[in-house]
Amino acid sequence: MDIDIFKNFYRGKRVLVTGHTGFKGSWLSIWLHELGAEVIGVAKDPATDKDNYVLSGIGGKIKADLRADIRDSQRMKDIFQEYQPEIVFHLAAQPLVRLSYEIPVETYETNVMGTINILEAIRITDSVKVGVMITTDKCYENKEQLWGYHENEPMGGYDPYSSSKGAAEIAIASWRRSFFNPEQYEKHGKSIASVRAGNVIGGGDWALDRIIPDCIRALESNRPIEIRNPEAIRPWQHVLEPLSGYMLLASKMWDEPTKYCEGWNFGPRTESISTVWDIAAKVVEEYGSGDLRDLSEQNVLHEARLLMLDISKAQFLLGWQPRMNLDQTVSLTVDWYKSYRKEEVYDVCVNQIINYLLK
């Protein structure tokens, strides 16, 4: 099957991805590389030697595999000037809620000032036409409501991670109005959007305090899976779902830059919203072994119990749809973890992209 659902749009395009050594960034880089894009990756070192970035070897396949910290403003500008990207996907972040309680200042420096540094690098680099800034569903002021958040609802966030992403969204909106205003597109020639996704799962994620990596680590060492927050309800989606949305959006922004430069939600359908306990039970079922242990703690760090996105805007205006239900999402995810030690991981990833597009 041809995996190019973007009608050859990315072939030959210079695409800079920040955070390409991370979980989502590595998958995006593989997909873009397969589409013929010249990928420039900018990131810190991968977190573990089992990360998807490491095992897939994507760093050795792309045009440039650079180590840099997005908090270093001058380094970002220098990289942009050297490589002259046309499209930027900004994924680099401190992405963990619980860690943000331990390193709140670094979380803010990375997620807010790092984002501003990328916006500034975009601003001074004439070659950049499109910037897609990735934040999170947690950027919304969470009222634990039963319906999904729309793109125009207030930003906020309780913990340092969520609030830093809300602050990043406010900064992105400010830069768009001040420097990339669609009404003055003829002057600056740039289209900037922000994108928010739900709880993303998939192969090659080994981050701490995330349910899938926690499950796999326990299963691989024959320990029970300890569930800290079993009743928390999350919108689960496979990593390829939002990435397909980001890439579709960027192609639309390229063609109609003043029409799509705003905020977008890319979440799962309502039926993929489920508790942490249920998702872990599905992992055990797919893996074929393991058991769960409820470790509900009193006086735990605050984490949102319920958070949902309304995706009707992306459905109606972009023609984007989630392709997989929750069972398919967990199945594809667990397949990666059952395959990574005995198969070529890059091929596993490409085959999973094809599998996803056939859904």
Side-chain angles (χ1 to χ4, degrees), residues 108 138-142 154-164 166 302:
Y108 256 73
K138 297 177 182 67
C139 66
Y140 293 106
E141 183 61 56
N142 190 11
M155 297 295 136
Y158 182 114
D159 56 88
Y161 167 73
S162 303
S163 61
S164 74
H302 177 276

Side-chain angles (χ1 to χ4, degrees), residues 235-279:
W236 308 98
Q237 61 189 145
H238 193 273
V239 61
L240 296 173
E241 298 274 33
L243 294 184
S244 71
Y246 305 166
M247 294 164 77
L248 175 63
L249 174 62
S251 69
K252 299 261 191 192
M253 291 164 70
W254 183 278
D255 291 335
E256 295 184 75
T258 61
K259 185 175 177 181
Y260 297 100
C261 54
E262 45 195 35
W264 298 86
N265 290 339
F266 294 101
R269 291 196 178 86
T270 312
E271 54 267 28
S272 288
I273 295 165
S274 174
T275 66
V276 171
W277 183 269
D278 286 346
I279 202 91

Side-chain angles (χ1 to χ4, degrees), residues 211-339:
I211 186 61
I212 299 296
D214 285 353
C215 287
I216 299 299
R217 277 189 287 265
L219 290 167
E220 288 188 345
S221 53
N222 294 314
R223 289 183 289 105
I225 298 168
E226 299 177 341
I227 309 292
R228 187 181 72 240
N229 206 354
E231 298 306 313
I233 299 167
R234 295 285 185 267
W236 308 98
Q237 61 189 145
H238 193 273
V239 61
L240 296 173
E241 298 274 33
L243 294 184
S244 71
Y246 305 166
M247 294 164 77
L248 175 63
L249 174 62
S251 69
K252 299 261 191 192
M253 291 164 70
W254 183 278
D255 291 335
E256 295 184 75
T258 61
K259 185 175 177 181
Y260 297 100
C261 54
E262 45 195 35
W264 298 86
N265 290 339
F266 294 101
R269 291 196 178 86
T270 312
E271 54 267 28
S272 288
I273 295 165
S274 174
T275 66
V276 171
W277 183 269
D278 286 346
I279 202 91
K282 286 180 186 293
V283 170
V284 166
E285 186 183 340
E286 281 290 330
Y287 203 81
S289 64
D291 57 325
L292 309 182
R293 182 175 295 168
D294 185 343
L295 273 199
S296 301
E297 306 166 31
Q298 299 303 311
N299 306 317
V300 292
L301 295 171
H302 177 276
E303 288 191 63
R305 287 177 52 77
L306 174 63
L307 187 58
M308 294 186 284
L309 294 174
D310 185 297
I311 58 171
S312 46
K313 180 179 167 183
Q315 289 174 309
F316 290 121
L317 299 184
L318 296 177
W320 175 84
Q321 298 280 353
R323 291 170 179 261
M324 298 198 293
N325 61 31
L326 189 56
D327 288 341
Q328 292 170 316
T329 295
V330 174
S331 175
L332 198 60
T333 298
V334 173
D335 278 351
W336 189 99
Y337 290 102
K338 288 164 83 171
S339 305

